[in-house]
Amino acid sequence: MVLSPMQGTIVKVSVKAGDRVTADQQICILEAMKMENEIKSPMDGELVELRVQPGDTVRTNELIAIIR
């Protein structure tokens, strides 16, 4: 599971459900306090579920994606 490290707004999504991802690959960009934070995959695998899209507001520890 990929969780949001802080509250903010998703400004860019770089992958879609079904994509193969590698460790440290960018999943999305989270803007918080006027800074852009890159959210990366913690492991190699398949992105089976993506729960955000640009413009979504997320809370700290909110589920962003599931990688299997």
Side-chain angles (χ1 to χ4, degrees):
M1 292 192 293
V2 180
L3 304 177
S4 171
M6 63 192 78
Q7 181 175 335
T9 302
I10 303 297
V11 293
K12 179 182 177 185
V13 175
S14 305
V15 293
K16 62 185 182 305
D19 285 355
R20 299 278 316 156
V21 295
T22 57
D24 292 326
Q25 179 178 342
Q26 178 181 305
I27 293 176
C28 62
I29 301 287
L30 172 70
E31 183 180 276
M33 298 173 50
K34 298 184 182 179
M35 293 185 64
E36 291 188 349
N37 303 280
E38 195 173 33
I39 308 301
K40 298 180 179 183
S41 173
M43 60 188 228
D44 293 348
E46 179 185 353
L47 186 75
V48 293
E49 188 173 344
L50 182 63
R51 295 196 173 185
V52 295
Q53 60 185 4
D56 287 353
T57 299
V58 293
R59 294 187 215 139
T60 303
N61 292 324
E62 187 171 331
L63 182 63
I64 292 176
I66 298 173
I67 299 171
R68 176 175 48 189

